[in-house]
Amino acid sequence: MLHRTIVMPAGRHTASLIFLHGSGDTGVGIQSWIADCFDGTGDKQGFNFNHIKVIYPTAPPQPYTPMNGRISNVWFDRHKISYDTPEIAKSVDEMSDKLIQVLFSIIAAEVKAGIPPSRILVGGFSMGGSMALHLGFRNHLDLGGVFALSSFLSAESTVYDSIIEHQKTENSMPELFMAHGTKDPLVLFEWGKKTFQKLTSLGVKGQFHKFKYFHEIGFKELLMLRNWIVERIPNDTNS
């Protein structure tokens, strides 16, 4: 079981959101970073919702090759941070399976409480966004949406193959929100844009936004994401 931080809604819980942190971070860390983005802005809501439970899991520690094999909280391993470098499929699948087990328990609890998978969103920042793309478009196609901030998929990602296989039997897929900083020196803007273009060429419906950010989360980006979240899973007073 992964450690996770949970922020309950102010009102009746009718939807859920799972937010995955970037490499080397924690659920508490990404939650704090998001809160800091709203400090001093006058926005009293922040990233809190009247009806949405926000869940911040922490990735399990494992050796991470880009850090010379040092232990870090990461969702999967990779050879290096590069668009053209193939995924380490075994690592992605193992980490995905571990997180899926957690998601299954979360989804099962939400469904038992009367919340359908279509009212559950998954997303994240950097590596967390990449993991969310794997989860939403490989394993949990019944979710309400996926978001990825400053994230990318490898050029030959297994996600694309999974979408093509899925199209043979069904057409519905989660909607997508992606955003990226044009000054990002770690995960290049072009990688995120190419990822979005390839996903949408395969039938994924979504939106892509650019900001004058480095490798970071920003206030304007979070406002736009917050609006998208509420559009995807609005406050259902009849549920």
Side-chain angles (χ1 to χ4, degrees), residues 4-20 31 45 47-57 102-103 105-115 119-123 147 229-230 233-235:
R4 57 183 185 262
T5 299
I6 298 175
V7 178
M8 293 301 296
R12 185 183 179 190
H13 171 212
T14 64
S16 295
L17 184 153
I18 302 164
F19 203 124
L20 308 180
Q31 178 195 5
Q45 178 182 344
F47 208 68
N48 303 306
F49 303 89
N50 287 326
H51 63 293
I52 304 171
K53 177 197 292 184
V54 186
I55 304 162
Y56 300 92
V102 177
L103 279 173
S105 66
I106 294 172
I107 291 172
E110 305 312 314
V111 172
K112 187 176 181 180
I115 299 172
R119 288 183 60 77
I120 299 173
L121 307 183
V122 62
F147 61 92
I229 288 169
V230 175
I233 44 175
N235 196 351

Side-chain angles (χ1 to χ4, degrees), residues 78-88 152-156:
R78 50 187 165 198
H79 297 292
K80 64 178 182 178
I81 304 172
S82 172
Y83 180 76
D84 296 318
T85 299
E87 295 170 341
I88 303 179
F152 76 103
L153 293 172
S154 298
E156 303 301 326

Side-chain angles (χ1 to χ4, degrees), residues 13-138:
H13 171 212
T14 64
S16 295
L17 184 153
I18 302 164
F19 203 124
L20 308 180
H21 62 77
S23 61
D25 202 353
T26 63
V28 172
I30 192 76
Q31 178 195 5
S32 177
W33 189 6
I34 290 170
D36 288 344
C37 289
F38 286 95
D39 282 350
T41 65
D43 188 304
K44 296 182 179 180
Q45 178 182 344
F47 208 68
N48 303 306
F49 303 89
N50 287 326
H51 63 293
I52 304 171
K53 177 197 292 184
V54 186
I55 304 162
Y56 300 92
T58 294
Q62 67 161 323
Y64 189 42
T65 300
M67 292 177 57
N68 298 317
R70 292 197 296 273
I71 301 297
S72 184
N73 292 333
V74 293
W75 300 109
F76 52 84
D77 193 18
R78 50 187 165 198
H79 297 292
K80 64 178 182 178
I81 304 172
S82 172
Y83 180 76
D84 296 318
T85 299
E87 295 170 341
I88 303 179
K90 181 175 183 293
S91 178
V92 172
D93 288 341
E94 286 178 352
M95 287 297 97
S96 179
D97 287 344
K98 288 180 181 179
L99 188 54
I100 285 169
Q101 292 175 13
V102 177
L103 279 173
F104 277 157
S105 66
I106 294 172
I107 291 172
E110 305 312 314
V111 172
K112 187 176 181 180
I115 299 172
S118 61
R119 288 183 60 77
I120 299 173
L121 307 183
V122 62
F125 170 74
S126 194
M127 177 183 276
S130 301
M131 190 76 256
L133 293 173
H134 276 271
L135 290 167
F137 295 109
R138 290 184 64 197

Side-chain angles (χ1 to χ4, degrees), residues 87 133-134 137-138 153 157-164 199:
E87 295 170 341
L133 293 173
H134 276 271
F137 295 109
R138 290 184 64 197
L153 293 172
S157 174
T158 54
V159 171
Y160 304 130
D161 297 330
S162 296
I163 290 175
I164 292 171
L199 287 168

